[in-house]
Amino acid sequence: DPKIIQKPKYLVAVTGSEKILICEQYLGHNAMYWYRQSAKKPLEFMFSYSYQKLMDNQTASSRFQPQSSKKNHLDLQITALKPDDSATYFCASSQGTGGNYAEQFFGPGTRLTVL
Amino acid sequence: GDSVTQTEGLVTLTEGLPVMLNCTYQTIYSNAFLFWYVHYLNESPWLLLRSSTDNKRTEHQGFHATLHKSSSSFHLQKSSAQLSDSALYYCALSVWGGRALIFGTGTTVSVSP
């Protein structure tokens, strides 16, 4: 059974619209993250949450808003979509932060295409 | 800022030959954690190796790496490549107590018979 679920797997959106990317983890982890991988670029850290609180935000744009309704959920709302937002978005989680708890497990990703 | 450099974009080799992927990093913090992640096409990246201990060799699934803080390096090696090793390999750095991972550009390894 998949331990980290991301929905949908593929998403096509029009410029200016709004989408929500879903992430649920069933590993019992306390920390969750979002990363983005644009074409021909490395994985790029976006946000980290620990116990449902925002810890780090490396995303310059306020159009990207993480939402944590439950400890094992971390959704990503993206508003006013632009073609440059096209990327694969990976959710990840870890038992905790720091030291031996730092191992992050990744979900399968959501591939977003903005037309 | 903190960064990771992987100099090889693509490594092609024949099965049975040794593999070495370079990884160097930059950070002002002394508490660096280094990771190697493997990313197979259409799958999730998963952790292959990690280390925060200077000059200690860490091994997993035939791969090994040693963190050298003096040279800020964490090169990945394997003595004999297998076809199943063909994948994208990322070196990553964490300095915020294990929160954000800073990834290198990745090295694609292609192993042929």
Side-chain angles (χ1 to χ4, degrees):
Chain A
D1 291 336
K3 303 299 185 185
I4 300 181
I5 296 172
Q6 289 189 246
K7 294 183 283 191
K9 186 167 185 175
Y10 301 100
L11 186 57
V12 179
V14 296
T15 297
S17 66
E18 173 183 315
K19 293 293 180 186
I20 295 179
L21 281 55
I22 305 294
C23 177
E24 305 169 13
Q25 56 91 3
Y26 296 93
L27 295 163
H29 288 169
N30 299 308
M32 296 185 71
Y33 314 83
W34 278 103
Y35 291 83
R36 171 173 55 192
Q37 185 172 34
S38 304
K40 299 188 179 180
K41 290 186 179 180
L43 282 160
E44 175 190 13
F45 171 77
M46 300 179 73
F47 300 97
S48 69
Y49 266 65
S50 180
Y51 293 94
Q52 292 187 265
K53 291 186 179 179
L54 178 66
M55 302 301 291
D56 306 293
N57 178 356
Q58 285 287 83
T59 303
S61 174
S62 60
R63 296 186 299 108
F64 295 84
Q65 290 292 328
Q67 299 170 342
S68 181
S69 58
K70 300 179 187 178
K71 192 180 96 171
N72 69 325
H73 283 233
L74 186 63
D75 300 336
L76 181 64
Q77 180 185 39
I78 314 174
T79 58
L81 278 161
K82 303 177 180 180
D84 280 350
D85 297 331
S86 297
T88 299
Y89 291 80
F90 288 97
C91 175
S93 70
S94 63
Q95 183 177 355
T97 60
N100 292 327
Y101 304 109
E103 179 178 350
Q104 294 185 21
F105 295 80
F106 283 78
T110 291
R111 183 176 292 182
L112 172 65
T113 301
V114 183
L115 303 175
Chain B
D2 303 319
S3 65
V4 175
T5 300
Q6 293 180 250
T7 52
E8 308 98 352
L10 173 65
V11 170
T12 57
L13 66 157
T14 304
E15 190 177 18
L17 291 181
V19 183
M20 179 165 166
L21 307 184
N22 290 313
C23 173
T24 55
Y25 63 94
Q26 280 191 314
T27 179
I28 62 171
Y29 300 98
S30 60
N31 63 334
F33 289 80
L34 272 295
F35 306 84
W36 276 101
Y37 276 83
V38 183
H39 194 186
Y40 290 100
L41 190 63
N42 296 323
E43 294 185 11
S44 310
W46 54 272
L47 182 65
L48 178 62
L49 291 172
R50 68 177 176 187
S51 181
S52 61
T53 305
D54 198 11
N55 298 316
K56 181 180 177 181
R57 175 172 162 144
T58 182
E59 299 187 36
H60 187 59
Q61 296 195 347
F63 287 90
H64 63 92
T66 302
L67 176 60
H68 293 294
K69 292 189 177 182
S70 61
S71 57
S72 298
S73 67
F74 191 56
H75 305 317
L76 182 68
Q77 297 182 68
K78 187 175 185 182
S79 58
S80 176
Q82 299 176 294
L83 296 176
S84 59
D85 294 330
S86 296
L88 177 59
Y89 292 78
Y90 284 108
C91 184
L93 165 71
S94 174
V95 295
W96 294 339
R99 297 207 293 259
L101 286 174
I102 299 161
F103 285 88
T105 50
T107 298
T108 298
V109 173
S110 177
V111 182
S112 57

